[in-house]
Amino acid sequence: MDTTADTTAMRRAISLAARGLGSTSPNPVVGCVVLDATGRPVGEGFHQRAGEPHAEIHALRAAGEKARGGTAYVTLEPCNHTGRTGPCAQALVEAGIARVVYAIGDPNPQATGGADTLRAAGVKAEQGLLAEEAEQGNAAWLTSVRRGRPHVTWKYAATLDGRIAAADTTSRWITSAESRADVHRLRAEADAVVVGSGTARTDDPQLGVRGIDGAVQPLRVVVDTAATAVRPGARVLDTGAPTLIAVADDADARHLPEEAVLRLPRAATGPGLDLPALLAALHGRGIRSVLLEGGPTLAGAFVAAGAVDRIVGYIAPVLLGAGPAALADAGISTITQALRLHVTETVRIGPDLRITAVPRPAPKGN
């Protein structure tokens, strides 16, 4: 039976894991807390960067001999394989840990089995404590393993009546400076930021992270099917971060840097590129989380493709009455096809409201 101390330690491990968002791909974010045999915290750590020590190793190093006979709380089942680092399950055994509590099992077939290794060595291993919270914190990596594509967060900013710009297309600024700063936090947590040709042509965005110390700059991706929106000198082509311009196989992209061009097939139906092919290409490059900042057309295409896993909307207390809506055609023609959402968080950001939601599972039988 889980105790209050167990819950407190695991919740701390989950908060530690979040510190690795944006810097661990293609690995998961993981946190670990070690209590000694008397239940006192003696070590903690999180996975900071791919190729570097895992969370358990940081926590065990901090605990030293005090780990012997103690309990380790880990957000993900300790790994059981040797890659760029050794197996954490074996490290826990060698440290003399008597009990391991982990939130979720490792779905990666190359790394699973850590719990079995622990039990075979006489270590008590328990799964499931705060599993839902740990799943939410590791949603990007879990999506990549289970679905073979990056986790996609669609972010948008709109007025209270759902407009992202006025009738004359002006949009700076609908939301507050506080909200715009918060978007840089989202960028810092993502492996890639994606926009479409309309955004690239209208805004000439730079798409980098600003104002966050130590942030790893995400890959900047522009979906520019005809290769007409991004021109030489565009801000997205600067040296501040890596960039890919996704264009159609038959597009003339001679004006773009060859190393920045990603050629993809066109969509089977409708305009634009094959989005599953785009996500597969990004996944193949180690991208596990995508922040979709494109306009309503690209967002609609992603929703229609069933490729949006989370929505973050910044809603400003502003009315426009006319102008483009946040979402264009998403293949929804009747109310019964509406994409129903589950709101997971609402937070005041300056004068604005940030709403986070995820798609609800389709009803059984549909």
Side-chain angles (χ1 to χ4, degrees), residues 1-8 73 99 129:
M1 185 176 185
D2 299 321
T3 66
T4 301
D6 290 334
T7 301
T8 299
Y73 300 83
R99 175 176 174 242
L129 179 60

Side-chain angles (χ1 to χ4, degrees), residues 45-346:
F46 66 98
H47 185 37
Q48 300 175 18
R49 197 175 297 271
E52 295 183 4
H54 291 183
E56 297 93 323
I57 306 305
H58 286 297
L60 290 173
R61 287 176 179 172
E65 282 300 311
K66 294 178 182 178
R68 195 161 300 278
T71 301
Y73 300 83
V74 195
T75 56
L76 181 68
E77 179 185 3
C79 67
N80 198 44
H81 78 299
T82 300
R84 285 183 285 182
T85 59
C88 291
Q90 189 59 40
L92 289 163
V93 170
E94 293 174 357
I97 288 289
R99 175 176 174 242
V100 173
V101 180
Y102 61 98
I104 52 179
D106 193 333
N108 184 352
Q110 295 179 332
T112 193
D116 292 337
T117 294
L118 292 167
R119 295 185 183 107
V123 178
K124 187 176 182 181
E126 306 167 15
Q127 177 183 343
L129 179 60
L130 299 185
E132 185 175 346
E133 290 183 31
E135 287 249 358
Q136 292 174 0
N138 232 340
W141 182 79
L142 290 169
T143 297
S144 74
V145 173
R146 293 168 178 167
R147 306 189 65 177
R149 65 160 176 80
H151 179 276
V152 177
T153 294
W154 169 42
K155 162 263 161 186
Y156 71 94
T159 62
L160 194 58
D161 56 341
R163 306 296 177 177
I164 62 168
D168 65 355
T169 74
T170 55
S171 62
R172 295 189 178 184
W173 296 103
I174 285 176
T175 53
S176 64
E178 293 92 336
S179 288
R180 298 196 296 276
D182 195 62
V183 170
H184 284 276
R185 176 190 58 82
L186 288 182
R187 287 183 182 178
E189 293 178 354
D191 296 335
V193 177
V194 177
V195 299
S197 57
T199 300
R201 188 176 289 111
T202 302
D203 297 340
D204 186 24
Q206 196 267 347
L207 299 180
V209 177
R210 297 186 297 277
I212 298 180
D213 293 338
V216 176
Q217 292 293 337
L219 174 69
R220 302 173 294 186
V221 182
V222 179
V223 180
D224 186 9
T225 306
T228 57
V230 180
R231 309 304 299 179
R235 297 175 67 212
V236 79
L237 294 177
D238 68 17
T239 59
T243 300
L244 282 180
I245 312 300
V247 305
D249 284 330
D250 57 354
D252 182 359
R254 288 174 294 179
H255 58 287
L256 296 173
E258 184 177 354
E259 68 277 7
V261 174
L262 173 64
R263 292 192 175 275
L264 294 170
R266 292 178 180 269
T269 58
L273 298 177
D274 184 319
L275 294 183
L278 169 64
L279 292 174
L282 294 177
H283 188 266
R285 292 170 179 257
I287 300 299
R288 298 296 178 259
S289 58
V290 164
L291 180 62
L292 176 64
E293 291 196 39
T297 300
L298 187 61
F302 267 79
V303 170
V308 171
D309 303 295
R310 182 175 67 151
I311 300 96
V312 179
Y314 294 86
I315 310 302
V318 175
L319 297 177
L320 286 174
L327 187 67
D329 182 15
I332 299 169
S333 58
T334 181
I335 192 66
T336 58
Q337 298 174 335
L339 180 61
R340 302 289 178 175
L341 306 175
H342 170 63
V343 175
T344 60
E345 185 184 51
T346 57

